Amino acid sequence: MASPRPRPNPPSTRCAASPSGERNTAASDESHETKRRDGEYYPSKVLWPGIEKTDAYLRKMDFRAKKSLGQNFMIQENVLSKTVAYAGVQKGDRVLEIGSGTGNLTRYMLAKGAEVVCVEKDDRLHEAFVKEFEEEVKSKRLKVVHADVMRWLTERDRRERELVASGGSVDQMLRFDKVVANLPFNITTDLLKFLLPRCESVFRPPTGSPESRPSGDVFLLLQDEAAQRLCECRAGDSNYRAMNVLVDCFCSSREYLFKIDRKAFFPAPNVDGALAHFKIRPREEALSVGQVGDTVVTSKQFHTFVNQCFSRRRKMVKNNIPSNMFGADEVARVMEELDLGAETRPQDLSCEQYLSMLHKLQSLKNSREAESA
């Protein structure tokens, strides 16, 4: 199971821990200068820090944040600099930024020398963004995609499958070193769920090691409660859910980085946010735990199985698995082999136990179907 690991302090941007040991919020009034003397940008001079300047910029566009799209713009410079520091963005990185908005975070990543690909859904923000970063687009340091990110990723996934089916090379598909997403809270979980089993198709191997298997760094701005649940819940906890199992399976580690006060956004949402880091590992490696012989379990099968087991969280696992998926006798046999009690409930099982259970069940099913063929 993936577990949080200690993370070194980012360069000078991390607030000192409070005497009480509580997490520090990044929405302080601290003045934070982030300048790159040998680079092209001085973000603290060109950024729109604070409500007044961001509001003025949006008013100039005659733009109002759309509640239907969950638009809340990051306006505190300290949060932006901490985000880039924690993400370790550096020269040579290719970063996929999802939800570029007014470009505040984009400037910081460009200042570090990264190549940035931005995906923005809003028509007017996209138009203003392209004009604002015209030089960077021309120099190819920045690429701007006007699309709904989930549809864009789905279409990208479809094109890759077509290339593989036709015998083409997937090397022409653009891959990334990091994903940084400042998205509406209501879709970040869907984005993470989509990225988890797609490490090889979204991320590129380390520079200089083309034969190495890629691993993906995803930095997501989540609702604070969701970030805590995804990063800190363990099997057996009352809040342990299907999404926790998927994260534990496909991530070698996950970390709650820092809390972000709601006042760091404009307009301010009703809840606080948090930045979380998910280290995604290759799909085959993640799904190989508990493998039985040459039985292969796909990410879709695992996702469906786990969701089915959690379909009624207070019920016993054995009663949540329908007979058209696996027979009751097979479920009882496998649970006994894994030393799982008959009254085991969904939140009691770890991701390793779910994987072992699915591998054994699939192996029994394959044998049964082969005998009856």
Side-chain angles (χ1 to χ4, degrees):
M1 178 185 292
S3 59
R5 54 183 171 79
R7 186 176 183 83
N9 292 351
S12 73
T13 60
R14 187 176 187 177
C15 298
S18 65
S20 64
E22 295 180 352
R23 296 188 185 91
N24 289 287
T25 66
S28 67
D29 294 328
E30 174 187 356
S31 175
H32 189 85
E33 291 285 319
T34 302
K35 300 180 181 179
R36 182 179 175 88
R37 298 186 183 281
D38 58 343
E40 182 179 352
Y41 289 100
Y42 293 81
S44 59
K45 292 185 178 180
V46 298
L47 179 70
W48 308 297
I51 293 177
E52 296 81 7
K53 291 188 178 180
T54 299
D55 186 40
Y57 176 79
L58 295 174
R59 284 180 183 277
K60 182 179 178 181
M61 293 171 55
D62 192 24
F63 180 90
R64 291 191 178 186
K66 297 176 182 177
K67 190 173 182 179
S68 62
L69 296 181
Q71 290 176 332
N72 303 98
F73 304 107
M74 180 64 65
I75 58 173
Q76 291 223 354
E77 192 171 356
N78 186 40
V79 176
L80 295 164
S81 60
K82 283 182 70 175
T83 298
V84 173
Y86 270 105
V89 177
Q90 58 187 346
K91 186 175 182 179
D93 280 349
R94 182 184 294 153
V95 182
L96 174 61
E97 183 189 5
I98 303 173
S100 51
T102 54
N104 289 352
L105 183 59
T106 311
R107 294 185 186 278
Y108 272 87
M109 294 193 289
L110 290 171
K112 293 293 184 180
E115 174 190 347
V116 183
V117 177
C118 294
V119 182
E120 175 56 54
K121 179 179 180 178
D122 189 276
D123 297 341
R124 298 195 62 194
L125 281 178
H126 170 263
E127 182 181 353
F129 188 88
V130 170
K131 291 179 180 178
E132 183 73 21
F133 290 91
E134 184 177 1
E135 293 183 8
E136 291 73 22
V137 172
K138 287 181 178 178
S139 67
K140 296 185 178 180
R141 295 181 58 207
L142 175 66
K143 179 180 179 180
V144 187
V145 179
H146 183 204
D148 175 282
V149 66
M150 295 305 298
R151 291 182 180 178
W152 180 72
L153 287 170
T154 301
E155 175 62 21
R156 189 177 181 277
D157 206 39
R158 184 191 64 78
R159 290 201 310 272
E160 183 171 1
R161 290 197 303 271
E162 288 179 350
L163 275 173
V164 173
S166 63
S169 173
V170 295
D171 292 340
Q172 59 186 283
M173 299 293 294
L174 196 63
R175 287 179 168 79
F176 308 92
D177 299 301
K178 297 178 174 73
V179 171
V180 180
N182 179 12
L183 283 171
F185 293 148
N186 61 340
I187 67 170
T188 45
T189 300
D190 289 338
L191 172 66
L192 180 60
K193 192 181 297 183
F194 186 92
L195 293 175
L196 285 176
R198 292 175 172 81
C199 180
E200 295 93 335
S201 63
V202 175
F203 299 97
R204 62 181 179 178
T207 304
S209 306
E211 302 302 320
S212 300
R213 304 183 78 178
S215 61
D217 288 295
V218 178
F219 296 86
L220 284 183
L221 196 152
L222 298 159
Q223 184 176 334
D224 184 54
E225 181 182 345
Q228 291 185 50
R229 184 173 61 247
L230 288 176
C231 295
E232 298 173 359
C233 278
R234 300 289 183 275
D237 293 345
S238 59
N239 282 329
Y240 195 71
R241 303 179 183 180
M243 190 64 191
N244 290 98
V245 178
L246 298 178
V247 167
D248 285 348
C249 174
F250 291 104
C251 295
S252 58
S253 67
R254 68 269 195 272
E255 305 167 86
Y256 180 109
L257 297 178
F258 63 90
K259 184 177 180 179
I260 304 174
D261 193 285
R262 66 195 71 184
K263 294 178 183 177
F265 302 92
F266 176 76
N270 295 325
V271 294
D272 295 326
L275 185 70
H277 172 220
F278 301 90
K279 186 78 170 179
I280 301 178
R281 56 182 173 176
R283 179 175 57 246
E284 290 183 8
E285 175 187 324
L287 294 173
S288 64
V289 176
Q291 187 169 0
V292 178
D294 58 357
T295 302
V296 175
V297 168
T298 67
S299 57
K300 184 177 180 180
Q301 286 174 321
F302 183 62
H303 184 217
T304 301
F305 178 69
V306 171
N307 277 344
Q308 189 61 54
C309 289
F310 274 86
S311 59
R312 296 175 294 177
R313 296 182 67 246
R314 296 186 179 183
K315 300 294 183 180
M316 292 177 282
V317 170
K318 67 177 184 180
N319 293 332
N320 286 341
I321 302 174
S323 57
N324 62 350
M325 181 178 284
F326 299 109
D329 292 343
E330 293 171 338
V331 172
R333 174 182 168 182
V334 167
M335 292 187 70
E336 184 177 355
E337 289 179 3
L338 294 174
D339 197 25
L340 300 175
E343 297 184 355
T344 299
R345 283 167 169 72
Q347 63 268 27
D348 297 328
L349 300 180
S350 67
C351 75
E352 289 89 352
Q353 289 172 314
Y354 274 109
L355 279 166
S356 295
M357 191 174 177
L358 179 57
H359 276 294
K360 286 179 177 292
L361 286 170
Q362 191 62 47
S363 178
L364 288 173
K365 184 177 182 179
N366 292 347
S367 299
R368 172 167 47 83
E369 291 176 346
E371 290 176 359
S372 60

